């Protein structure tokens, strides 16, 4: 099996985000030097060398966990270095921005208990342990093409095989939080993912989740939740997801 090779890319804030932490003035109020690149877009481009090496096999039964350790800003050049199952994403200065691991043959997680749950009439101020309201969206070739261009994905596989990009699948996991919790600026901090099958276009995508823990990380409020993404009736992605859902600017 081909080993993934190091890969360079330029990180971008993708337009369309409703999270104000991805805007310069708001991010500076929280102590950052500018708009933060969303974790989901860092995740999306970290998958590039993995898919280049392992193709549809990884997209249908691979795994990746990624933790975002330091802020990344629009236009930063990053280097993804896969080695012996580990992943490091670093800036030319040597600062490590993300760490994690990846591989093939992911153990299938327990998929029981994930079901369609009606979204709350209004997002709540604070999440509680238990089911989250489900979300869905149409997976179309047009939206996939927009995303491939927006993140600068170099692989032709997604167009050739009509496959939903994993970054779009993970965006739906973020959408779960945004539909269920009333958010101000917030930060996605980690994702531990298991791919379960291929999402081929066009397809209706849906995500179901449950909050597993709510607590504090330093000055900020943190939520952990598990989620399962379906392409039509087939599960395609399982994620343990973590985010700082309320930030303290003090």
């Amino acid at each position: 099996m081909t080993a993934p090779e190091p890969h360079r890319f330029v990180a971008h804030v993708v337009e369309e985000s409703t999270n104000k932490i991805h805007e310069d003035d708001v991010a500076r109020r929280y102590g950052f030097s500018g708009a933060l690149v969303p974790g989901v877009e860092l995740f999306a481009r970290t998958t590039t060398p993995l898919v280049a090496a392992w193709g549809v096999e990884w997209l249908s039964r691979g795994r990746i966990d990624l933790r975002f350790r330091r802020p990344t800003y629009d236009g930063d050049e990053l280097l993804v270095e896969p080695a012996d199952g580990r992943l490091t994403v670093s800036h030319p200065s040597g600062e490590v921005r993300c760490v994690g691991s990846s591989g093939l043959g992911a153990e299938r997680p327990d998929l029981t208990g994930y079901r369609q749950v009606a979204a709350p009439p209004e997002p709540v101020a604070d999440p509680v342990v238990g089911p989250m309201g489900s979300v869905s969206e149409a997976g179309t070739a047009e939206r996939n093409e927009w995303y491939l261009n927006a993140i600068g994905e170099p692989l032709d596989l997604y167009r050739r095989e009509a496959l939903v990009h994993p970054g779009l699948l993970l965006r739906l996991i973020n959408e779960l939080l945004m539909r269920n919790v009333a958010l101000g600026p917030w930060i996605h901090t980690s994702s531990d993912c298991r791919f379960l099958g291929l999402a081929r276009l066009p397809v209706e995508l849906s995500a179901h989740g449950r909050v597993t823990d709510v607590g504090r990380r330093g000055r900020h409020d943190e939520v952990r939740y598990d989620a399962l993404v379906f392409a039509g009736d087939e599960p395609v992605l399982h994620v343990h997801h973590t985010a700082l859902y309320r930030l303290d600017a003090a």
Side-chain angles (χ1 to χ4, degrees), residues 12-209:
H12 291 296
V13 175
V14 174
E15 294 181 9
E16 189 195 57
S17 175
T18 59
N19 184 357
K20 299 299 183 181
I21 202 68
H22 305 311
E23 297 180 6
D24 287 330
D25 56 342
V26 174
R28 290 187 181 113
R29 292 207 299 269
Y30 289 89
F32 301 105
S33 62
L36 298 186
V37 173
V40 66
E41 268 69 80
L42 296 176
F43 164 88
R45 287 307 310 276
T46 300
T47 69
T48 298
L50 308 179
V51 177
W54 297 326
V56 295
E57 185 173 4
W58 186 78
L59 288 170
S60 58
R61 64 178 194 93
R63 62 172 182 82
I64 177 174
D65 78 89
L66 202 61
R67 301 178 297 282
F68 310 109
R69 291 179 52 178
R70 302 291 299 170
T72 292
Y73 301 103
D74 191 66
D76 281 358
E77 181 180 313
L78 299 177
L79 173 64
V80 183
E81 295 180 283
D84 299 322
R86 299 185 303 274
L87 287 171
T88 303
V89 183
S90 57
H91 185 265
S93 66
E95 182 181 64
V96 174
R97 300 291 177 79
C98 316
V99 296
S101 65
S102 64
L104 284 166
E107 184 177 321
R108 195 171 180 86
D110 181 5
L111 303 184
T112 59
Y114 292 96
R115 57 186 176 84
Q116 183 76 29
V117 176
E122 297 290 338
V124 300
D126 291 286
V128 295
V129 172
M132 306 173 79
S134 302
V135 298
S136 62
E137 68 176 35
T140 66
E142 292 77 14
R143 179 161 174 76
N144 210 49
E145 182 69 20
W146 164 80
Y147 190 68
L148 295 172
N149 291 331
I151 65 173
E153 175 60 69
L155 299 180
D156 185 54
L157 174 71
Y158 299 103
R159 297 180 177 92
R160 188 175 68 249
E161 300 288 341
L163 296 174
V164 180
H165 195 281
L168 279 179
L169 298 178
L170 199 65
R171 274 182 156 229
L172 200 58
I173 305 296
N174 278 345
E175 188 67 23
L176 267 178
L177 185 63
M178 293 186 284
R179 295 276 188 90
N180 283 270
V181 181
L183 299 171
W186 63 281
I187 296 176
H188 169 199
T189 56
S190 71
S191 291
D192 187 353
C193 305
R194 300 292 185 275
F195 291 97
L196 308 170
L198 297 174
R200 293 192 182 276
L201 296 162
V203 68
E204 183 72 11
L205 300 170
S206 60
H208 316 291

